[in-house]
Amino acid sequence: GGDTLVVEFTNSANSEKKTINVVLDSTANPQQVNVTLQVKVLQSIAITGASTVEVGGKVQFAATGTYDDQSTATITDSVTWSVESPSPTGAAAFDATTKGQLNGLKEGGAGVKATSGAVSSSVTQVSITAFNGTVAVAANPTSIVANGTSTSAISATVKTSGGVNVVDGVSVAFAVTGGTGTVAPSSALTVSGVATTTYTSSTTAGSGTVTATVGAKSGNATVTLTAGAAAKINLTANPTTISSSTPTE
């Protein structure tokens, strides 16, 4: 009889597994410690995940490794995930913080692959479908002076068809579609579901409507432009000369 200690190591560079078995043989005299090292070499990688994702949505992929002893293990966190031949460019990207999470960014398609050392999975094709969520636009403040320099912060909150914030990196286009004024930048990427731009007033009192668009979906907000204090006042006299006389007693 004896006690056994098993320690397993995984090489993050190639998903190779090493197992050290330490066995204390209490029946021997004197007692003995037997140490064995078992190395498992990764032979193949299989990945699984949904084949479609909406623009602004995400899909979680998992990677399973098969070793030379025919054992398997989940290696999602230790492989390198990559997007192959996206159409258009930037159609999808793997999340920077969540391993195996593919983010849909533009309508189109892309292949995905997992690699560990010299071993790679086959490429799985994913279709990125059109954005079908909502775009809500807000202006702060909603009223500014029409002096050509006053500004309002414009924010577009973008949600998927499921009602959750879109992933980071979805492009939102901004434009003034009514009234006067300008916006800059004319496009921005979402961060935590929100994209922002700045509206600058014209010198004409009235309003400016800013529209934010993702795919075929849009929303808008209106900023009121109020007349400000006059920069200068011009005075004219008519006639420009008059005569003076001295009253007589």
Side-chain angles (χ1 to χ4, degrees):
D3 299 318
T4 302
L5 173 66
V6 179
V7 182
E8 185 175 85
F9 302 90
T10 300
N11 186 332
S12 60
N14 59 13
S15 297
E16 180 184 78
K17 289 184 177 294
K18 294 181 180 179
T19 303
I20 299 176
N21 294 284
V22 181
V23 180
L24 172 61
D25 186 355
S26 58
T27 62
N29 187 17
Q31 294 184 347
Q32 297 178 349
V33 175
N34 301 314
V35 179
T36 59
L37 174 64
Q38 179 183 14
V39 178
K40 297 181 180 182
V41 179
L42 184 67
Q43 297 292 300
S44 64
I45 301 173
I47 61 175
T48 56
S51 59
T52 62
V53 60
E54 176 188 347
V55 168
K58 59 189 177 183
V59 57
Q60 182 64 49
F61 278 85
T64 301
T66 299
Y67 294 86
D68 56 351
D69 64 352
Q70 301 307 306
S71 65
T72 61
T74 299
I75 55 175
T76 303
D77 292 341
S78 62
V79 296
T80 298
W81 294 94
S82 59
V83 175
E84 306 290 316
S85 304
S87 178
T89 301
F94 277 102
D95 194 76
T97 57
T98 303
K99 282 283 193 175
Q101 177 183 306
L102 183 73
N103 297 333
L105 303 178
K106 299 177 183 178
E107 185 177 0
V112 298
K113 184 175 71 173
T115 300
S116 181
V119 182
S120 294
S121 70
S122 59
V123 175
T124 296
Q125 295 298 321
V126 178
S127 174
I128 300 96
T129 60
F131 177 70
N132 196 34
T134 60
V135 182
V137 185
N140 184 27
T142 57
S143 180
I144 58 178
V145 177
N147 58 8
T149 58
S150 295
T151 61
S152 177
I154 306 297
S155 61
T157 300
V158 187
K159 293 184 180 295
T160 68
S161 57
V164 298
N165 287 345
V166 297
V167 296
D168 291 354
V170 174
S171 181
V172 179
F174 292 96
V176 176
T177 55
T180 59
T182 59
V183 288
S186 59
S187 66
L189 302 179
T190 54
V191 177
S192 298
V194 179
T196 60
T197 190
T198 300
Y199 169 82
T200 302
S201 71
S202 67
T203 55
T204 303
S207 65
T209 298
V210 179
T211 298
T213 303
V214 179
K217 303 292 184 176
S218 63
N220 60 67
T222 297
V223 180
T224 300
L225 304 178
T226 61
K232 63 179 180 179
I233 300 175
N234 295 321
L235 298 178
T236 60
N238 185 24
T240 57
T241 61
I242 59 174
S243 63
S244 64
S245 61
T246 302
T248 58
E249 296 181 359

